[in-house]
Amino acid sequence: PKAAAPKPSNAAPKLSAAAASGGRVVASPLAKKLASELGVDLASIAGSGPGGRITGADIEKAAAGGAPTKKTAVDVPAEPSWVPAEGVVAATPMARVLAKKAKLNLGNIKGTGQFGRVTADDVKIATGEKKPVRKAAAPGAPAPVELPEGLVPFDGMKKA
């Protein structure tokens, strides 16, 4: 008594948004073969194997209608993933040294590094050693012109 095998699908399964955008779907070779035979979309299945790998059992459950599917909406935390302790200013070691030499309070400097961390460039901008980096202009817009500081003499020719 052999169970009737499902008919292989001639049409290739459509790619989901995650797979079409370049997201890699990790699945075992057996799972890939079963998915193509049963017409199951790999990107819509949550894997139960190591590291979220899709196994043959996951494909069989999906074909039967009982497999857990991936969530389509990504849960974004409302809070940043890292926040320094109360009263602590997140800064790189070099930024701390430069601020100490310039006698600056790191709490008054806006950090542009990862997680709002104060970097050495932020301290140099606060002391005036470095100019802030301008944002790139929109495509097709003329580039901003840097004007020199102070008066520049205009001599057309070098005197001999």
Side-chain angles (χ1 to χ4, degrees):
K2 197 174 188 183
K7 295 179 182 178
S9 169
N10 291 342
K14 293 181 181 178
L15 293 176
S16 72
S21 66
R24 183 169 181 258
V25 178
V26 182
S28 68
L30 174 64
K32 290 177 183 178
K33 181 180 177 187
L34 284 175
S36 66
E37 288 176 357
L38 299 175
V40 176
D41 183 17
L42 285 173
S44 66
I45 299 173
S48 62
R53 185 179 179 118
I54 300 171
T55 62
D58 295 330
I59 300 296
E60 291 171 357
K61 286 179 188 175
T69 57
K70 288 185 180 178
K71 294 179 184 176
T72 55
V74 178
D75 296 332
V76 178
E79 298 178 6
S81 59
W82 180 82
V83 178
E86 187 69 30
V88 175
V89 177
T92 62
M94 190 64 187
R96 291 187 187 280
V97 169
L98 290 173
K100 188 174 180 179
K101 284 182 182 177
K103 298 180 182 175
L104 290 174
N105 182 2
L106 283 173
N108 297 336
I109 301 173
K110 183 178 184 283
T112 59
Q114 188 177 21
F115 303 116
R117 188 176 221 185
V118 178
T119 63
D121 286 340
D122 297 332
V123 175
K124 287 179 182 177
I125 290 169
T127 60
E129 286 182 45
K130 184 176 180 179
K131 292 184 181 179
V133 178
R134 291 185 178 178
K135 304 268 183 191
V145 178
E146 284 286 327
L147 298 176
E149 292 182 17
L151 183 64
V152 178
F154 186 74
D155 291 335
M157 300 289 289
K158 185 176 178 182
K159 296 178 182 170

